[in-house]
Amino acid sequence: MDATDEVIDICRDLLRIDTTNTGDLDTSAGERVAAEYVAEKLAEVGLQPEIVESEPGRASVLARFEGADPSRDALLIHGHLDVVPADASEWSVHPFAGELKDGYLWGRGAVDMKDFDAMVLALVRQMKREGRKPPRDVVLAFVADEEAGSTYGAQHLVEHHREHFDGVTEAIGEVGGFSVSVGGDQRLYLIETAQKGIDWLRLHAKGRPGHGSMINDDNAVTALAEAVARVGRHRFPVVLTPTVRAFLEQVSQVLGIELDVDDPEVAVSKIGPIAMIIGATLRNTANPTRLAAGYKDNVIPGRASATIDCRTLPGQSELFEEELRRIVGPDIELEYIHRQPALETTFDGDLVAAMSAALRAEDPGAVPVPYMLSGGTDAKQFARLGIRCFGFSPVRLPADLNFGALFHGIDERIPVEGLQFGVRVLDRFLQQS
């Protein structure tokens, strides 16, 4: 079976495996089942996959596809098998039915990121059946736990199975290589060369506990609420990193508009729904997400806490913390609960040339551009090994599809033609990488 046909079947199979990752070891599901499925597909064509568990059920798959010149530096292709939870009552189809409808495959993970997992599996299987080798070794990693911080997936692999990545210098993974229609016969293809850092922290306020009926001018809840409101309403200043500046310059040229570096949001507003992601990469952000205080309705607690989801630009982490401390005030304690650094690489070199050539070969209207992801991926972990990481999971999208809204969204779906396009692009890319 041709890879462009098999990718549909593989993607449906993966979507039908519920790999919900709640962030809790006791309630996450299906990663071992998905890992066994992937391992079987790789073993069927002669590869030797290894299933690695960090905890019972939290399984990842590793395999090395030997290239024509094993002496060259190797390429890592990584994808995660877990998905965020989905409430079936909110969907028009069941999120784990893998339904094929209206030219789309529907299901949780269709764009994040079982589509790419399926593309890679289908392509590798075809190459092995045809006796084709990539120019250099390719390490395949299908991992657990990306959706809850990578602790039981990529982080575990990097810290305890580093030998699998010997010789790897470059990597491709999710959230890049997708198209954005800009009118006419041109489409931007956003290749991820940077990611914002993740700085999840808690604010803690202390006060004088007491009875809820009494006057209390040292109320921890009041102090916390005021600090959280200041954080939530604050707009951090615009900082154009090299990746974002390069993106805006190229987009402005394609759209025929003038870029005002002092007010880049004007240019961003003209690129359609993807502006939500790009706009978040113009500045550091801090969004309150959770509140916790007290244990009884009529008791004023002595302590109140809030969780803030902070995303920082490359090179901005220390300056961001200084500004945040000024915003919340001296009486509020800051506690970091999860930190992953920002990443940024340049949009050049043979790998970038191979990505660009593969896209243009399949879509003559392709305009490859670098961009920064406002979130984070497993690339943050693999970069710890000195690997230069890109987001490149190519897919051509309909002009009217709000792709960004499908990530963790309701009725997540991927166009079948986009899946098949991705297989063809990846095939060309691997031949030239």
Side-chain angles (χ1 to χ4, degrees), residues 177-182 186-190 247 250-251 254-255 271 274 365-369 395:
F178 57 92
S179 68
V180 175
S181 295
V182 289
Q186 287 188 313
R187 278 157 296 282
L188 303 176
Y189 281 85
L190 278 61
F247 172 84
Q250 292 195 46
V251 168
V254 169
L255 295 178
I271 60 175
I274 200 67
V367 181
V369 295
V395 59

Side-chain angles (χ1 to χ4, degrees), residues 127 132-135 424 426-433:
M127 290 178 68
R132 290 193 288 137
K133 288 186 174 183
R424 295 193 300 270
L426 284 174
D427 195 354
R428 291 181 181 274
F429 164 73
L430 277 184
Q431 291 177 42
Q432 302 174 64
S433 65

Side-chain angles (χ1 to χ4, degrees), residues 25 31 52-59 152 156:
L25 288 174
E31 288 171 324
V52 173
E53 279 193 333
S54 53
E55 293 285 343
R58 310 309 300 269
Y152 300 103
H156 177 80

Side-chain angles (χ1 to χ4, degrees), residues 56-133:
R58 310 309 300 269
S60 301
V61 183
L62 294 164
R64 185 174 285 253
F65 186 179
E66 185 176 315
D69 184 0
S71 68
R72 288 184 57 194
D73 293 336
L75 173 70
L76 169 65
I77 301 179
H78 61 94
H80 62 86
L81 296 171
D82 61 321
V83 299
V84 296
D87 183 347
S89 67
E90 298 176 331
W91 286 54
S92 60
V93 301
H94 194 281
F96 297 106
E99 187 166 332
L100 182 60
K101 183 179 74 168
D102 301 328
Y104 288 81
L105 268 174
W106 300 61
R108 176 58 85 219
V111 301
D112 188 14
M113 60 172 299
K114 291 178 176 178
D115 58 335
F116 184 62
D117 296 333
M119 292 179 207
V120 174
L121 280 173
L123 176 58
V124 167
R125 284 168 57 83
Q126 177 173 301
M127 290 178 68
K128 288 291 289 182
R129 287 193 299 265
E130 294 174 350
R132 290 193 288 137
K133 288 186 174 183

Side-chain angles (χ1 to χ4, degrees), residues 157-175:
L157 296 179
V158 166
E159 293 177 354
H160 301 284
H161 298 275
R162 186 170 296 204
E163 69 279 3
H164 285 277
F165 307 100
D166 287 347
V168 173
T169 57
E170 297 171 311
I172 62 168
E174 64 177 324
V175 204

